[in-house]
Amino acid sequence: MKRTYILGDNRLSVSIDTGGSTVYYNYNAGRLLYCLVRIDGYRGEIVLKKFLAVFLSLVIFVMAVAPASATTGTSCDCDEVPIIYVRGRSPIRVDKDEPDGQTMPYVPDGFVENALKELVPVYTKGYLTDDFSEFKTLFTKYMAEAYKDFALDNNGEVPNNSGYRTSDYWKNNPIYDIHKPSNDVSTPEGATTELYKYFYQYDCRLDPCEIADDLHEYIQAVKNVTGHSRIKVLARCLGTTIFSAYLAEYGWDDIDDVVLYNPICFGTEVTNSLFNGEFYFDADAVDFFANQNLDDTLPYTLLKEVITLSNKTYGLGLTMDYFNKTAPKVAKYVIPDVLRVSYGTTPGYWSMVSADRFEEARDYVFAGVEEEYAGLIKKINYFHETVGSKLTSMYKQMEADGVN
C-alpha cells in the first residue's frame, strides 16, 4: 500500500493508493469532500473515523506549528539585554474592567471629618474610664467602610471585581522587540521611556507567590520576542517581593543583572511596627506626614498650616504627649481588628513584614481567629517559609552564581 500525503498552501490533501483503489481526502475551506474506497474489486464504504483522525491530526499540527514558528523570536547576540521593570504598587481599581475608573483605597469626601466627630469624644470617654472597647468597635467600623472594596476575604482572595488584570493586560497586548535603546537615557524623560518598554504590573494585594507564576510567563514571552536567553530586572518597592518570590520558585538561570530599588522585601520598620501593634505619636513625624500626604484643597491646606505652626510652638508636642499616655496601649488593643478589615487581609502587604518579626506579628493579628482565617494564614506562612526567611541566603547565592 502506497501512501502519499500532500500539504498545499490553501488545502490539505491526502491520497492513499491501495493498488488500483484510491482514497481521496481534500480539505478545502473546512469541508471534507468525499471518501470512497475500492479494494481488490470489493466496493464499500470505510469507517471515516480513522481517516478523520489522521486528517485532524495533520490539520492541528499545521495550525499549531505555523503560528509558533511565525512568532518565535530569532536569536539576538547584541549586548543590549532587555530590561524588565517590575514596578512598585500598581493601580488597584474598584472595578478592574474599568481601566480608567476609581483607584483604591480612597476616602470619600467628608469621611474623615465625620469620623473625627464621632471618634474624638469616644476616645476621650475611653481615656477617662480606661475602657476603649467602644472606641475599638467604632474605629474598626469606619476602617471597614473605608476599605470595603480594598480588603480581601479570609482566604486572601478578591471578593469582588476590584483589582488589576495582570495577565490579561500583557497577554492581550502585543509584546514588540524594542529592547535596543532608542531614547536618550541621560535625560529623566528618556530614561523613563526606556525603562517602561517592558514593565510588569500586578495587583499588589495578592499572594506574591501566585503573581510570580505570571511574571515567569511574562519573562519567557519577552525572551522569546527579543531573542535573548537572559534578561535584566529592575524591581521597585513591592515589586521586590514579587521578584523575590519568582527567584525562589524559578531560580535565576534567565537573569543577567538585578537592581532592587527601595527593596521592601526584607521588611520595613513601619510595617513591622504596625503589624505588631507598636504605635507612638511623634510631633515632627505627624507634621511631616500631614504635609506629605494631605492634598492641597483649602480645608487640608489650612489643617497643614495649623499642624506646622503648632509644632513650631510646641503645642503639637504637648498634644502628642497626651496621646502617648494611652496610645500605645490602645493601639495594641485596637490594631488587630483594624488590620483584619484592611491591609492585614492582603498577602502582598504581609510580605513587607521582616522574617524576624513575622511569626510575632501573625500570632498577634490572628490571635483567637486562626481557624476563621486559615486560608489567608496558609498563604502568608508559605511566603515566609519559602521566600521571606531565605532572602539573604538566596541573594548571596545568586551573586555567587554570577548574577550582578
Side-chain angles (χ1 to χ4, degrees):
M1 179 182 291
K2 184 174 85 173
R3 293 177 173 84
T4 305
Y5 301 91
I6 307 170
L7 299 177
D9 291 334
N10 299 313
R11 66 177 186 171
L12 171 63
S13 298
V14 180
S15 67
I16 304 176
D17 187 348
T18 61
S21 300
T22 306
V23 177
Y24 295 97
Y25 259 176
N26 191 311
Y27 174 76
N28 193 349
R31 294 173 295 177
L32 177 64
L33 298 182
Y34 61 87
C35 176
L36 184 64
V37 179
R38 185 180 183 86
I39 302 176
D40 295 330
Y42 174 80
R43 181 180 180 84
E45 292 183 353
I46 190 169
V47 179
L48 292 179
K49 290 184 178 178
K50 292 183 179 179
F51 294 98
L52 191 57
V54 175
F55 167 73
L56 290 177
S57 297
L58 288 170
V59 171
I60 291 171
F61 178 79
V62 172
M63 291 175 65
V65 173
S69 62
T71 58
T72 300
T74 58
S75 176
C76 178
D77 58 0
C78 75
D79 295 331
E80 303 297 340
V81 178
I83 301 173
I84 291 180
Y85 173 36
V86 185
R87 64 167 293 171
R89 182 183 181 277
S90 302
I92 304 173
R93 306 291 177 181
V94 174
D95 185 344
K96 61 186 176 185
D97 293 324
E98 296 184 10
D100 297 322
Q102 177 69 57
T103 59
M104 302 187 298
Y106 69 94
V107 180
D109 292 340
F111 180 86
V112 174
E113 291 85 348
N114 292 332
L116 288 175
K117 286 179 183 178
E118 284 197 74
L119 288 170
V120 170
V122 173
Y123 184 91
T124 303
K125 177 183 175 182
Y127 178 77
L128 295 174
T129 62
D130 198 28
D131 179 4
F132 289 92
S133 57
E134 184 180 353
F135 175 78
K136 178 173 77 169
T137 300
L138 185 60
F139 188 60
T140 303
K141 170 191 168 186
Y142 271 107
M143 291 298 291
E145 176 63 24
Y147 284 86
K148 63 182 179 181
D149 295 317
F150 177 89
L152 303 184
D153 64 19
N154 295 2
N155 295 310
E157 301 287 348
V158 180
N160 45 40
N161 200 47
S162 66
Y164 182 84
R165 291 190 174 277
T166 300
S167 59
D168 288 356
Y169 177 81
W170 71 262
K171 287 181 179 178
N172 293 331
N173 290 277
I175 300 176
Y176 298 104
D177 182 10
I178 51 175
H179 72 284
K180 295 180 180 179
S182 56
N183 297 280
D184 182 5
V185 295
S186 65
T187 66
E189 297 79 10
T192 300
T193 302
E194 195 69 36
L195 186 60
Y196 274 83
K197 284 182 174 180
Y198 301 113
F199 77 104
Y200 184 78
Q201 300 193 90
Y202 50 90
D203 186 336
C204 62
R205 300 173 298 173
L206 302 182
D207 183 0
C209 294
E210 294 178 0
I211 300 175
D213 293 333
D214 187 71
L215 175 59
H216 173 68
E217 289 189 52
Y218 182 69
I219 288 174
Q220 300 312 307
V222 172
K223 285 172 52 185
N224 185 57
V225 167
T226 61
H228 279 266
S229 61
R230 293 162 73 88
I231 53 97
K232 296 180 179 181
V233 172
L234 168 61
R236 177 178 179 268
C237 197
L238 271 164
T240 63
T241 68
I242 308 302
F243 181 60
S244 297
Y246 162 83
L247 291 175
E249 179 65 24
Y250 295 100
W252 39 85
D253 288 345
D254 294 335
I255 310 301
D256 189 59
D257 288 328
V258 171
V259 173
L260 302 180
Y261 173 45
N262 188 22
I264 62 173
C265 55
F266 296 95
T268 69
E269 286 301 318
V270 172
T271 311
N272 286 341
S273 296
L274 177 62
F275 279 61
N276 280 286
E278 299 166 353
F279 213 80
Y280 179 81
F281 287 99
D282 178 81
D284 291 336
V286 171
D287 188 4
F288 177 81
F289 180 85
N291 281 278
Q292 289 294 316
N293 292 279
L294 297 180
D295 61 40
D296 293 328
T297 57
L298 182 59
Y300 285 123
T301 299
L302 293 174
L303 178 59
K304 286 187 288 187
E305 291 179 354
V306 169
I307 290 174
T308 299
L309 179 61
S310 177
N311 189 28
K312 290 179 178 179
T313 57
Y314 303 104
L316 185 60
L318 293 175
T319 303
M320 295 303 101
D321 288 342
Y322 159 74
F323 278 114
N324 285 328
K325 290 179 180 179
T326 56
K329 181 176 70 173
V330 175
K332 200 75 175 179
Y333 174 58
V334 171
I335 284 177
D337 287 51
V338 171
L339 285 177
R340 293 199 300 267
V341 297
S342 57
Y343 292 102
T345 64
T346 65
Y349 282 85
W350 271 100
S351 68
M352 293 191 291
V353 179
S354 61
D356 61 323
R357 303 212 60 189
F358 168 78
E359 293 181 357
E360 177 188 2
R362 177 201 60 201
D363 295 344
Y364 163 67
V365 173
F366 296 110
V369 293
E370 293 89 351
E371 185 174 345
E372 183 181 352
Y373 288 86
L376 172 58
I377 293 172
K378 181 179 179 180
K379 287 185 176 181
I380 64 176
N381 278 344
Y382 183 79
F383 178 87
H384 170 67
E385 293 165 3
T386 61
V387 185
S389 61
K390 294 179 169 57
L391 282 173
T392 300
S393 60
M394 181 176 70
Y395 278 105
K396 285 184 177 179
Q397 185 60 54
M398 185 175 68
E399 185 179 14
D401 289 343
V403 179
N404 298 319

